[in-house]
Amino acid sequence: MKKISLLGSTGSIGINTLDVVERYPESFQVCALTAGSNIELFAGQLRKFKPAIAALFDTTKIDALKELVRDLDVEIVSGQEGLVSVASFPDADLVVSGVVGSAGLLPALAALKAGKNLALANKETLVIAGELVLKEAECTNTRIIPIDSEHSAIFQALNGEKQERIKKIVLTASGGPFRTFSLQQMKNVTVKEALNHPNWDMGAKITIDSSTMMNKGLEYIEAKWLFGVDTEVEVIVHAQSIIHSMIEFVDTSIIAQLGIPDMRVPIAYALTYPDRFESNLPSLDLAKIGNLTFEAPDMERFPCLQLAMDAMAIGQTLPAVLNAANEVAVQAFLDELILYKDIAETIRMVMQNHRPVPLQDLKDVLDADLWAREETTKLITVAH
Ligand code: MG
């Protein structure tokens, strides 16, 4: 029985993780859960999965949550500290992080510090502090198992081979809902259009990131940290999202991982690794799909991808700044404070105004993150 501590249980990754856990009741047990602020859904999950401890990030709703589950035998904690207690909960064999945004960093570090293997869906953790996170994993001899579908694909393709044998990683991208839009059309994109992803059903923030291809940019950085900072990573647009990514090895052989676009597949792999469990999800029907297409990404229409690559090339605190500026700009777009095209433009200005410093400890990351949030908010306010 593998005991699981799940961070971010009411989000898209969390809900899918609980779905996987429920399918294998003899193999997995949830011992700890955290959620952001959706207390109704969270209370239902606590009732169903009966964890020993639960943390709610939104401290203002803690009393209302306690009221909802007062008949249950569960310890309720709150805030960032609460998330950290759940992440380092002694009973857990594996910590799954599906937290959205940079709020996932401290709990991820806490899990590794406590000696827990980490199944990581929260890409921001590696984007903003890859160096520190890898150092922690090395110190405590713990493993990071990627859940992000592309990185799970690369992890599976690499299975058993030496990282030094990788010639390059080919990271596939769906291209999002605006893959065929002209530059002119992209200027007038609405929130509703941007929230309509062709292949994947995900949360709002990541769906916008997919539409701007910032999601692929963050995944590019994530891939560098997971599979070697000096490894070449090529991004290729593959509209069908059937090949989840590939590795070209030094002998030019390419190993790819294919599958239906369903997050329960990479989540189940992270939970069962190094084994695989039988699944009753539908098989991939390649004859029905017919064609797999590939094209180079257009950096002019998707400048966020280039910004992320530039941030990684310079490194230091710049990826953390890119990420924070993106989080604030995406929220401003969702709140209809800025136009779609201003997301990339705002991030570019914040990056230009930043002086990167080497990343020595957590404070450097948090300072850069805070500076970038304030700078982005200032630029958005001035523009109004
Ligand atoms: Mg992905």
Side-chain angles (χ1 to χ4, degrees), residues 123 148-150 215 219:
K123 59 196 76 179
D148 209 346
S149 62
E150 295 78 1
N215 184 54
E219 288 180 352

Side-chain angles (χ1 to χ4, degrees), residues 18 199 284:
L18 292 176
N199 302 340
L284 183 61

